[in-house]
Amino acid sequence: MSTFRQPQIIAHIQKSLNYTVFDSKWIPCSAKFVCLGNFPRGTGVMQIYEVQHGEAQLIKEVEKPKPIKCGTFGATSLQQRHLATGDFDGNLNIWNLEMPEVPVYTAKAHKEIVNSIDGVGGLGIGDGAPEIVTGSRDGTVKVWDPRQKDSPVANMEPMEGETKRDCWTVAFGHAFNDQDRCVCAGYDNGDIKLFDLRNMSVRWETNIKNGVCCVEFDRKDINMNKLVATSLEGKFHVFDMRTQHPTKGFASVSEKAHKSTIWQVRHLPQNRDIFMTAGGAGNLHLWKYEYPAQRSKKDSDGVDVGVAGSVGLLQNVTLSTQPIASLDWSPDKQGLCVCSSFDQSVRVLIVTKLNVV
């Protein structure tokens, strides 16, 4: 692809913050985004910014007792746009951002820090009930329905006597009708587990030999298509989730991308074959997945086995000297995204030419 036709990643706005920011999210149907983190004094902070005239204007800030690690809008309606967050004390809170002083829902979700959170069934994405999944250092993955108080609707925890592994990342997928839904979880020892919520069983598991920092389906609201998992050593894996072989599982392609940890992966909402990875050296890589000519073939026993495609690098950019820990695409404007890094800053980026790649 010629340089002129390649997408460009442009840092549109950079804002320095006076706290460590762990997560940043676009507020749906708005030019606003929210930043979550912790002040040096050990309390949590939630800030709402609005993009106006090429600048990010702070419009609201609230301090919370505990540092906030992660957030999602995935289980709320477009009218309410409530933000669900997980904090260092294991609490799940849901906030009305118009009045963020007191949560509209709260649950003591875990014994230890909530590392990761995801939502589905809200924003018109995914069929079925609005649900939130949380993954924690205590080794458990829990699914919550905000309409049900206190107890989770599903709890995936290690068996008696099994070692508790730190769960670093969770993601919903396969929510294409009212009955089906899956949760994927990644752990510090390289385990990836796919839980089928309809049958309450582990549908598939594998190990990628390095701590799993982030997992994401290319779409939550379709029959499982692709899953990307990123890891500590700068590698990511793309699994083709359409064909599951009884012994070989799902076909996958892996790519050594960054020289350090890949903290996050996010698929472009408007094109599920384009995704961005965020790295520990302060860089972003934009990728495109190419499907193979045939997505499955018969093995020697006549059983379908998946065929992995390939990934190509569209563009990369270094923005920071510190890890970029969060990234979120705007659901409304193609190519607009927000990312935060451990240099205590948040950046609004514009990625061009995404419609021609």
Side-chain angles (χ1 to χ4, degrees), residues 159-221:
M159 300 280 200
E160 282 291 320
E162 272 189 342
T163 319
K164 282 193 159 85
R165 303 305 321 196
D166 192 344
C167 177
W168 283 354
T169 174
V170 287
F172 273 116
H174 202 54
F176 65 99
N177 62 27
D178 285 351
Q179 290 83 40
D180 287 282
R181 190 166 283 181
C182 283
V183 163
C184 188
Y187 298 83
D188 65 341
N189 63 340
D191 280 350
I192 298 174
K193 293 182 193 287
L194 183 67
F195 301 103
D196 186 330
L197 296 183
R198 182 179 185 171
N199 301 319
M200 285 314 295
S201 62
V202 177
R203 178 166 167 177
W204 168 73
E205 52 189 318
T206 189
N207 187 289
I208 60 170
K209 300 185 175 57
N210 266 303
V212 185
C213 302
C214 187
V215 291
E216 191 183 56
F217 290 95
D218 59 355
R219 281 286 177 279
K220 294 177 186 179
D221 55 349

